[in-house]
């Protein structure tokens, strides 16, 4: 009998340890709250909202089994990256969800990694009509614990396509000093020495250039960083695309009359022959369009593309 008890104990331990190694997922849903008044008994039975957590702040969240969930409101804009942590201060096992306006789950996390029972959400926000979202949490085992919910936003960086970018500001004096003689300036480099992205831009310029056009590449410094400019010149028209050291296209400028307007315009110009041509229309019609630094295509009337 003793050996039987030992064998049974061994089986029980094996089952318990296997269960601990892999917890069943917490697959709670919240869609049923979308049409319920937040002041109703049913809402209060399911979820208790505790207030708002602002960017860079945190909130202490006391948790008990009733109601099953606690929640906080957070703000943000579509495209923002948010970083949310729900940590226990007394040994709890956090589970957290990020919900949209309709209480649909945007993201969920139980354990941030194998070393912690804290929950971590790192999410790019979708659009929200109200500009708010909800972080909902519970203890995995529905035990009484205290949690801390923290929230931080990182807004997407705008592409440096305006005249205020450091790269543009560094290039302008070189461009204005070089003027029409830039083709023989010491900054000029061969197309073959350009990184792949800038080399592709050079080829696009050559393909778009009318007879009598000069296409040239420059290498220059922004602080200690290597940068590149690909330029197309025709009469007094100048078109310039700027690239970083990796060959990423980061800015584009033009002037239609170097003599009268020596300062480049760094905004989109829909009649720019260096980036606008037939086949680039955003609707896929084959008509003219412009491919801009942000990766988007915009309509153009540079040609009727018959």
């Amino acid at each position: 009998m003793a050996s039987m008890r030992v064998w049974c104990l061994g089986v029980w331990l094996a089952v318990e340890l296997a269960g601990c190694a892999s917890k069943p997922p917490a697959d709670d849903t919240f869609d049923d709250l979308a049409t319920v008044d937040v002041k109703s008994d049913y809402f209060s039975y399911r979820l208790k909202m505790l207030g708002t957590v602002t960017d860079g702040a945190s909130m202490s969240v006391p948790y008990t089994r009733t109601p099953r969930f606690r929640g906080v409101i957070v703000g943000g804009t579509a495209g923002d990256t948010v970083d949310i942590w729900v940590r226990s201060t007394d040994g709890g096992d956090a589970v957290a969800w990020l919900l949209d306006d309709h209480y649909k789950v945007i993201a969920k996390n139980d354990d941030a990694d194998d070393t912690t029972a804290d929950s971590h959400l790192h999410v790019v926000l979708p659009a929200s009509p109200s500009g708010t979202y909800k972080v909902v949490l519970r203890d995995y085992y529905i035990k009484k614990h205290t949690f801390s919910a923290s929230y931080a936003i990182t807004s997407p960086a705008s592409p440096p396509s305006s005249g205020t970018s450091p790269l543009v500001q560094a290039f302008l004096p070189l461009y204005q000093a070089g003027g029409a003689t830039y083709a023989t300036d010491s900054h000029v480099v061969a197309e073959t020495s350009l990184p792949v992205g800038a080399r592709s831009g050079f080829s696009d310029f050559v393909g778009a250039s009318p007879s009598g056009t000069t296409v040239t590449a420059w290498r220059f410094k922004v602080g200690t960083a290597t940068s590149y400019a690909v330029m197309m010149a025709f009469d007094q028209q100048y078109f310039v695309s700027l690239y970083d050291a990796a060959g990423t296209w980061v800015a584009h400028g033009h002037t239609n009359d170097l003599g009268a307007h020596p300062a480049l315009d760094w905004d989109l110009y829909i009649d720019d022959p260096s980036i606008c041509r037939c086949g680039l229309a955003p609707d896929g019609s084959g008509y003219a369009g412009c491919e801009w630094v942000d990766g988007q295509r915009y309509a153009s009337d540079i040609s009727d593309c018959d």
Side-chain angles (χ1 to χ4, degrees), residues 188-255:
V188 170
V189 295
E191 176 188 0
T192 53
S193 70
L194 297 172
V196 173
R199 203 180 314 153
S200 176
F202 191 103
S203 297
D204 288 344
F205 272 27
V206 171
S209 60
S211 176
T213 302
T214 302
V215 178
T216 308
W218 278 22
R219 181 174 59 238
F220 64 103
K221 293 286 187 180
V222 178
T224 59
T226 298
S227 302
Y228 298 90
V230 175
M231 305 204 302
M232 182 171 100
F234 181 73
D235 292 333
Q236 287 296 300
Q237 289 184 297
Y238 280 64
F239 306 92
V240 181
S241 283
L242 299 181
Y243 301 83
D244 63 16
T248 302
W249 187 24
V250 294
H252 183 83
H254 78 281
T255 178

Side-chain angles (χ1 to χ4, degrees), residues 126-167:
S128 166
S130 70
T132 62
Y133 307 81
K134 298 163 190 68
V135 177
V136 173
L137 64 95
R138 70 170 170 89
D139 179 69
Y140 181 88
Y141 297 102
I142 320 296
K143 301 292 186 182
K144 182 179 179 180
H145 288 289
T146 300
F147 297 95
S148 173
S150 65
Y151 182 70
I153 302 173
T154 303
S155 297
S158 299
S161 57
S162 74
T164 60
S165 81
L167 191 148

